[in-house]
Amino acid sequence: MYGSWKRRAMRAGAPGVVLALLTAGCGASDGGPAPAASDGQVPSGRAQPATSTSSFWVDPHTNAARQLAAYTSAGDSRNAALIRKIAEQPVGEWIGGPSPEATVRDYTESAARSGRRALLVLYNIPHRDCGQFSRGGAPDADAYRGWVDQVARGIGERPTAVVLEPDAILHLVDGCTPQEFHESRYALLKGAVERLKRQSTTKVYVDAGNAGWRSPEALDEPLRRAGIQSADGFAVNVSNFQTTRASREFGQRLSAKVGGKHFVIDTSRNGNGPYTDGDPAENWCNPPGRALGERPTTDTGGGAVDAYVWVKRPGESDGPCRGGPPAGAWWPEYALGLAGNTR
């Protein structure tokens, strides 16, 4: 899984121009992002999309926001308009460093001061990503339990939603994670859910794969072993490209199997659905021609879907494939492609 999880510099030192750019023109929107004109020019007479009305906090110092500032400073209005589609939306803050408490406190305090909920993605399970592009994680079970405790202390009583350990269950079910680590991982996930739920305003969603991978029947028992009963629900399509419709159907079927639990859908890059023209084993990694999906919102039409969220940060690489930089690194060309392909 491929988010940006490195600890960032303190936000107080970031240039004020980023925040100014994100708050400019907040009063007008036609309800959707302005499409790129066929001649490569920004369409005239169309308002830029307003700052997100999602209940989640928009961090004004993301890579996309900094890129927006750079394009604006350079007078590149076309690319600035495209990147604005990403920079104005709330995205998940991936947490994976060895000492997360201060970072989590900083982030959740910033969100709380704005009257919004923080969205965190915890990504530090031991033996993470089966040694692939995003390998790493806590060195052992005790270290992970201590790490989760730090995260919980950093959250405090500030409103927060947590997506817990992308791919951790998937890699148990598909056999990627060696059998010797299975029991420990289930116990760690269950313990993480229980510890985080001791924070009264924290919602926890356990990652549950995507509509293009296995079936809900394959995830029923694994989710129960991972503590879904104590969680608020589960997350689907994290860092993937399955359509929102397919993800809803998948999530609803899975919800029925795990006691009616609610779920969230990652819509960050699913605007054009999955890529099907390449090697199926590689189509998850920086596929071409993809687009941003629905904006983050809790207005999902009801049912068991709590929110559409941007867990994956659009424009950050899946890994060194198709000319991309390392996993989690900012890739402006890919970000521009996502934004430019968005209808």
Side-chain angles (χ1 to χ4, degrees):
M1 199 56 66
Y2 320 99
S4 177
W5 49 264
K6 295 181 179 178
R7 181 171 176 173
R8 66 184 64 232
M10 294 297 286
R11 288 170 178 77
V17 66
V18 176
L19 180 59
L21 286 168
L22 288 180
T23 56
C26 290
S29 174
D30 63 358
S38 59
D39 60 359
Q41 300 299 313
V42 177
S44 60
R46 294 290 301 276
Q48 293 302 316
T51 298
S52 172
T53 57
S54 165
S55 62
F56 294 103
W57 181 53
V58 179
D59 180 357
H61 305 301
T62 60
N63 285 324
R66 292 188 176 94
Q67 187 71 67
L68 171 61
Y71 284 143
T72 301
S73 178
D76 189 345
S77 59
R78 179 183 182 277
N79 282 340
L82 290 173
I83 289 297
R84 186 182 288 273
K85 296 180 185 182
I86 299 173
E88 287 185 337
Q89 302 305 319
V91 295
E93 177 74 351
W94 290 64
I95 305 297
S99 301
E101 185 171 348
T103 298
V104 171
R105 181 177 294 112
D106 173 42
Y107 194 84
T108 57
E109 285 179 347
S110 295
R113 282 194 296 269
S114 297
R116 299 295 180 96
R117 182 178 293 272
L119 176 61
L120 303 179
V121 188
L122 302 196
Y123 195 49
N124 198 43
I125 201 78
H127 315 290
R128 187 181 66 203
D129 203 34
C130 308
Q132 299 180 86
F133 293 150
S134 295
R135 61 185 174 273
D140 54 43
D142 286 342
Y144 184 75
R145 283 188 285 266
W147 182 85
V148 171
D149 191 58
Q150 281 197 50
V151 171
R153 293 199 305 267
I155 291 172
E157 297 305 314
R158 291 173 286 277
T160 302
V162 172
V163 174
L164 183 62
E165 296 296 345
D167 282 351
I169 291 179
L170 182 154
H171 284 159
L172 294 175
V173 177
D174 69 9
C176 179
T177 299
Q179 183 66 41
E180 63 190 283
F181 302 130
H182 284 206
E183 289 300 325
S184 174
R185 177 168 295 184
Y186 281 124
L188 290 177
L189 291 171
K190 185 174 185 292
V193 171
E194 292 169 352
R195 175 63 186 92
L196 292 165
K197 287 304 296 176
R198 284 164 51 189
Q199 311 309 120
S200 61
T201 59
T202 297
K203 294 186 175 183
V204 181
Y205 298 91
V206 183
D207 183 65
N210 62 76
W213 176 86
R214 303 297 177 94
S215 68
E217 288 72 20
L219 290 163
D220 180 2
E221 180 183 358
L223 279 172
R224 293 179 186 278
R225 293 177 68 183
I228 190 66
Q229 299 92 327
S230 301
D232 294 272
F234 55 92
V236 299
N237 203 48
V238 170
S239 292
N240 212 276
F241 304 88
Q242 302 297 318
T243 66
T244 301
R245 178 177 180 179
S247 297
R248 287 186 72 105
E249 293 173 353
F250 176 83
Q252 287 163 354
R253 290 170 56 204
L254 183 54
S255 173
K257 290 188 169 296
V258 292
K261 287 290 184 178
H262 283 211
F263 59 100
V264 296
I265 301 172
D266 184 357
T267 59
S268 57
R269 305 185 299 176
N270 73 347
N272 282 343
Y275 181 63
T276 59
D277 291 339
D279 180 350
E282 298 178 354
N283 283 353
W284 58 268
C285 192
N286 300 324
R290 300 311 92 197
L292 304 173
E294 286 91 345
R295 293 177 179 180
T297 182
T298 53
D299 184 11
T300 65
V305 186
D306 281 349
Y308 300 148
V309 289
W310 284 11
V311 181
K312 172 67 179 182
R313 299 158 72 93
E316 293 182 359
S317 176
D318 293 320
C321 54
R322 295 189 170 93
W330 175 246
W331 189 7
E333 293 80 9
Y334 199 79
L336 290 170
L338 290 170
N341 291 331
T342 301
R343 294 185 289 273

